[in-house]
Amino acid sequence: MILQWSVEMPVKAIDKKPAKAGKAAASEKAEGKSTKAPAKKKPNALQQPLQPSPDLAAVVGDGKLTRGEVVSKVWEYIKAGNLQNPDDRREILADDKLRAVFGKDKVTMFEMNKHLARHLQ
């Protein structure tokens, strides 16, 4: 024997806030006025433009750059100069310019950011 249970849930009435007058809201949007103040977003640490040291500027250029842009430009330099170890592509073989930045002849790509951070202000 199969028993069926039927339970009816009470339906809640949904309160809707009255909308603004259509013409007033439309005219504000048409004029470019927003109803909310725009949120001013402060750039995080990765988005802050930083000045590279003279040693690093020889590789990436003189202007202020974000950390992400610096890393991208260093990788462009590494690939253009074929400075990755052919046996272990994670290892970077420094030339004269990169040796001034890294402080040694070989650096893994994982420790590269640590050395770059020393040259950014």
Side-chain angles (χ1 to χ4, degrees), residues 76-106:
E76 286 175 15
Y77 181 82
I78 290 167
K79 291 189 182 212
N82 198 22
L83 298 175
Q84 284 180 283
N85 185 348
D87 297 331
D88 184 7
R89 305 287 288 172
R90 296 174 295 180
E91 195 172 58
I92 300 162
L93 306 173
D95 63 354
D96 292 335
K97 289 182 181 179
L98 286 179
R99 196 172 296 114
V101 174
F102 296 152
K104 52 186 180 176
D105 293 335
K106 291 182 184 179

Side-chain angles (χ1 to χ4, degrees), residues 10-102:
V11 178
K12 291 184 180 178
I14 299 173
D15 269 346
K16 290 188 177 181
K17 293 182 181 177
K20 284 188 175 181
K23 291 181 181 178
S27 66
E28 284 180 11
K29 288 181 183 177
E31 291 177 15
K33 295 179 184 176
S34 69
T35 55
K36 293 184 181 179
K40 293 183 182 177
K41 230 178 181 180
K42 183 179 176 186
N44 65 23
L46 296 176
Q47 297 167 339
Q48 291 283 343
L50 301 169
Q51 183 65 43
S53 70
D55 292 334
L56 183 58
V59 177
V60 298
D62 284 334
K64 287 189 172 190
L65 300 167
T66 64
R67 289 180 190 272
E69 291 170 335
V70 169
V71 171
S72 294
K73 288 187 183 253
V74 169
W75 272 110
E76 286 175 15
Y77 181 82
I78 290 167
K79 291 189 182 212
N82 198 22
L83 298 175
Q84 284 180 283
N85 185 348
D87 297 331
D88 184 7
R89 305 287 288 172
R90 296 174 295 180
E91 195 172 58
I92 300 162
L93 306 173
D95 63 354
D96 292 335
K97 289 182 181 179
L98 286 179
R99 196 172 296 114
V101 174
F102 296 152

